[in-house]
Amino acid sequence: MTADPSQSAVEPIMTVRGLSKWFDDFQALDDISLDVNRSEVLCLIGPSGSGKSTLLRCLNFLERYQAGEVRKEGRLIGWQEGSASPRKPLRPAALREQRRHIGMVFQQFNLWPHFTARQNVAEALIQVQRLGRDEAYSRAEAALDKVNLGDKANNYPSGLSGGQQQRVAIARAIAMEPDIMLFDEPTSALDPELVGEVLAVMKQMAAEGMTMVVVTHEMGFAAHVADRVGFLESGRLVTCRPPADIFGSEPSDPRLRSFLQTYRERNVV
Amino acid sequence: MDFSFDVILRNMPYLLAGARWTLVLSLTGISLSVVLGVFICAARISAKGLLRRAAAVYISAFRGIPLLVQLLLFYYLLPEIGLDLPALAAAILAIGMCSAAYVAEILRGALQSIPAGQTEAAEALGIPPVALWRRILVPQALRLGLPSLVNELILLVKVSSLASVVGIGELTRVAQNITGQTYRPLEIYLAAAAVYFVINFTLSQLGRMAERRLRLD
Amino acid sequence: MKYDLFLRYGPALLRGFGVSLLCWIVGSLGGALLGFVIACLYRWSAWPVRWILQAYIEVIRGTPFMIQLFVLYYGGPYAGLVLSPIQSGIVSFVVYGSPYFAEIFRSGFEAIPKGQLEAARAIGIGEFAILRRIMLPQMMVLITAPLTNFVIILSKETAILSVVTVPELLYETQTMAAETFTFVEPFLALSLFYWLLVVVTAELGRRVETYAMRHLRRSASAT
Ligand SMILES: Nc1ncnc2c1ncn2[C@@H]1O[C@H](COP(=O)(O)OP(=O)(O)OP(=O)(O)O)[C@@H](O)[C@H]1O
Ligand SMILES: [Mg+2]
C-alpha cells in the first residue's frame, strides 16, 4: 500500500512549486513544493495555524496564492498561464471548469439546508454538468449509496446526524467524478462515535483508487491509509514521507518529534 | 350622539370592494419590491464599488423621503419628463420602489446569516454565480426573511391608503367617498379601520403558519 | 431654477417646516411617554389589563395612520371631540406611535436579567428606584437604535398631516406648486428637507447610543 515516491513509475497529478501565500503582512505559506501522485492518499498534519487549510484551499484556488504555482495535469490552477506579475486570475468560467474536477469536503460539511440529501448531491450535476433532473437524481442516489446513505435521500440536513451530513457532503463531491478530492479535517466537527463511519467511507474511496489530499488530526487514519504524510509547521512543509517514517521510529526532525509528543500526551490522558 | 351600525352595514359592500384594490396595491407592491429588492441587495453587497454606492444611494433616498411625497412625485413629476403613467401604475411603482429599499436591507440581513461555507461549497463545485443566487442564496434568504417580509406586506397594506391621495379607489378613498355622501365619518372610518385590521390580522396569522411550515426541522 | 419663487414662498415653506417639526417633536415625545406608560402598566399589572393593552397595541398597529387621523379629525366632532387640524395631527401622532414605543420599551425591560432585579430587591431598593437607576440606564443602550429608527419613521409620517390641511411642509409645498404651476423645484427642495432631517436624526441617534454605551466601553478598557 505504501507507494515509494522515489520510484520513477509514479506520475504526479498535481504539482505544487514554490507556493507562498500572504494574508496582508502575515505569511501563511512559505515556499511549499509538493507532488500529489495519481491514486495516492496524502495526509497533511501539523499544529493549529500551521497553514494546512490554507494550503488545501490554494489547491482549488479558494485562496489566491501570490507566489509559486499549483498545477493539475500540467495546467496552472487559478492564474492565467504566462501572465506577467501581478498575475491575472482566470476568467470565472475557466476557474469553474477547473474546480469541477477537484472535489472538496469541508470541516463544517456546508450542506445547503433547504435541499434534501438527494438535492444537495444533484444540484451541481444539474447546474454544472447540465444533466436533466431525472438523471441527476439517479446519479445522486448512486453516490449516496456509495456512502451508505441510500435510505436517507429524502432527509433534509437537519434530519441527519453529523456523520451522515458529512457523508452526504462526500457524496456531493464524488458525484461530480473528480480527479482528486480535498478533505479539510472532515471528522473534526464530529462526535467521537461518528468519526468511524466517515473514515470508513474515505478508506473505501482510497481502496478504489481515488486521489486524496486529507488534512487531518486522525493519526490512526494517517498511519494506516496514507501513502505519504506531510508535516506542516509555521507555513513550511517540514517533511513529506511514508507514514512508517513519520510514525515508526523516533523522527529525526525535532519539530515533528515535539508535535507527535504533545499529540500522544493529549490522547493518552 | 347616535352611532349607526346601519350605515356601516349598508356601505360594507363598497368598503370591501375598495379593500380589493387595497390588496391589489399591496400584493403587486410587495411582488415588485421583492424582485427589485433582490437586485438592490445583490448590488449592495457586490464587489464592485460603483454598484455598492449606487445601491446605498437608492436605499438612503427611498427611505429618507416620505412615501406620500414619493407618490406625488411619481404622479406629477413623471408626466413632466414625458412618462405619462396611469395613477394606478404610479402608485404601485412608488410603493414597490420605496418598499424595495427596505426589502433589500431585510434580505441583506438574512443573507449575512447564511454561513459563508455554503457559498464556498458551491464555488468548489464550480456552480456559477447566477445559479448560486437563484438556487441557494435567494431561497434561503426569503425563508429566513419571511417574518420581516410579512411585516413589510402588512406595512404596505397600511401605506396603500396613501394612494387615495392620487385618486385610486382603494379602501380609504372609498371611505372618503361614502363619507362625502352620508356625512357619517365616525362610523365609516371606524368601519374602514376594522376592515384594515381584519386584513392585517389575517396576514399575520398566515405568515405565522407559513413560517411554521417552512421550518426545516 | 426659479429662485425668485423660493424667495417669495420661502417664509411659507419655513413656517411649514416649523409646523412639521412641531408635530413631529411633540408627537414623538407624547407617543414615547404614552408608550412608556403602556409598557410599565403591561409589566406591572394583572392579565385583564394586559389583555386590553395588547388589544390596543394590535388594533393601532393593524390600521393605517391616515385612517386613524380621519377617525379623529372627521369623526371626532360627532363624538363631541372638536380639534383643530394641528391638534388632531399631534394627538393622532401620539396614539399612532404609542404601541410601537411600548414594544420597544417592553423589549428593553425584557433584556435586563432577572437576577439583577432580584439582587436589587434583596438589598431593599424600591421598585421605582430600580426602574430609574438600574433598568433605564441599561435599556438605553439597547433601545436607542430602534427608538431612533422609529422616530425617523414618524418624521416622514408628518407629510400625511397635509391631507387634513395641517399647514406643514408638504401642504405649503403643494400650495406653492399649485399657485405657481411649478412642480419639480418645490418637490425636490421638499425631498431635500426631509432627507436632511432623517440624516441629522440618524446622526443624533448614533451620538446618543455612544453616550448610552459609555459604561460598557469603560469597563471594557479597564479589563
Ligand atoms: N482569511 C484569513 N485572514 C488572515 N489570516 C488568516 C486567514 N485565514 C487563515 N489565516 C492565518 O493563516 C494561518 C494558517 O491558517 P490555517 O487555517 O491554514 O491553519 P490550519 O493549519 O488549518 O489550522 P487548524 O488546524 O486550526 O485548522 C493562521 O495563522 C491563520 O491565523
Ligand atoms: Mg484548518
Side-chain angles (χ1 to χ4, degrees), chain A residues 23 26 28 46-55 63 107 184-185 217:
Chain A
F23 291 107
F26 175 76
S48 179
S50 57
K52 306 180 295 292
S53 300
T54 308
L55 171 56
E63 299 284 359
Q107 182 174 349
D184 191 359
E185 302 197 30
H217 289 298

Side-chain angles (χ1 to χ4, degrees), chain B:
Chain B
M1 171 195 121
D2 56 333
F3 193 89
S4 158
F5 281 101
D6 192 43
V7 173
I8 294 179
L9 282 181
R10 257 186 296 118
N11 288 291
M12 199 37 110
Y14 305 112
L15 289 176
L16 290 180
R20 263 215 317 270
W21 283 104
T22 293
L23 281 178
V24 168
L25 278 170
S26 42
L27 287 174
T28 46
I30 196 89
S31 314
L32 178 62
S33 79
V34 166
V35 173
L36 258 178
V38 166
F39 288 102
I40 296 166
C41 169
R44 182 88 182 81
I45 59 178
S46 102
K48 297 204 171 59
L50 190 66
L51 275 180
R52 257 202 326 271
R53 263 195 302 277
V57 168
Y58 181 100
I59 291 170
S60 159
F62 277 88
R63 295 209 304 187
I65 300 170
L67 179 57
L68 180 55
V69 175
Q70 291 175 33
L71 200 66
L72 294 171
L73 278 172
F74 273 89
Y75 186 66
Y76 291 115
L77 204 56
L78 289 185
E80 291 210 2
I81 59 168
L83 248 175
D84 209 351
L85 287 178
L88 185 65
I92 290 174
L93 212 56
I95 290 174
M97 288 184 71
C98 175
S99 168
Y102 292 89
V103 169
E105 291 294 271
I106 291 173
L107 292 180
R108 186 159 72 106
L111 278 178
Q112 275 165 352
S113 65
I114 300 176
Q118 288 190 32
T119 300
E120 281 195 343
E123 282 173 358
L125 286 162
I127 291 179
V130 174
L132 168 70
W133 273 79
R134 195 173 59 81
R135 298 275 306 161
I136 293 165
L137 297 180
V138 172
Q140 287 192 76
L142 290 179
R143 214 174 279 239
L144 289 166
L146 186 73
S148 311
L149 289 175
V150 171
N151 270 341
E152 183 66 19
L153 174 59
I154 289 173
L155 207 74
L156 289 197
V157 169
K158 291 190 280 176
V159 300
S160 67
S161 62
L162 299 181
S164 62
V165 174
V166 294
I168 310 283
E170 45 64 73
L171 182 48
T172 299
R173 182 68 180 204
V174 169
Q176 281 174 310
N177 291 346
I178 298 173
T179 309
Q181 289 158 15
T182 60
Y183 300 102
R184 289 286 191 171
L186 190 61
E187 287 90 341
I188 296 300
Y189 287 130
L190 280 177
V195 176
Y196 275 114
F197 179 73
V198 169
I199 293 176
N200 284 335
F201 186 78
T202 313
L203 284 176
S204 72
Q205 295 306 313
L206 283 177
R208 233 166 264 170
M209 249 166 59
E211 210 181 317
R212 266 198 302 275
R213 283 205 32 196
L214 282 180
R215 250 201 314 256
L216 293 169
D217 41 43

